[in-house]
């Protein structure tokens, strides 16, 4: 699970970095996809892990 969370977070950071570079938005820096996407990816991994643990207990 840790490896999947790490890899998905790194991929999300790269995708966010590319989106920040491609999308022209003024003033610069307010989209911050390179921060938003990794946070969402890690949050989804945590929620998935919690759901798996709950299913195993039941």
């Amino acid at each position: 699970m840790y490896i999947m969370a790490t890899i998905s977070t790194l991929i999300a950071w790269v995708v966010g970095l590319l989106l920040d570079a491609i999308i022209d938005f003024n003033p610069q820096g307010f989209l911050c996809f390179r921060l938003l996407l990794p946070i969402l990816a890690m949050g989804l991994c945590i929620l998935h892990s919690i759901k798996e643990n709950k299913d195993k207990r039941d």
Side-chain angles (χ1 to χ4, degrees), residues 6-56:
T6 304
I7 291 171
S8 65
T9 303
L10 287 173
I11 291 171
W13 181 79
V14 170
V15 170
L17 186 66
L18 291 174
L19 285 175
D20 279 342
I22 292 171
I23 297 174
D24 189 29
F25 186 74
N26 286 325
Q28 288 187 350
F30 280 100
L31 290 177
C32 289
F33 285 125
R34 62 183 171 261
L35 297 175
L36 177 66
L37 294 180
I39 290 171
L40 290 175
M42 184 57 73
L44 289 174
C45 289
I46 291 170
L47 288 174
H48 180 72
S49 176
I50 289 171
K51 184 179 177 187
E52 280 184 358
N53 287 339
K54 186 181 278 188
D55 290 341
K56 286 181 183 177

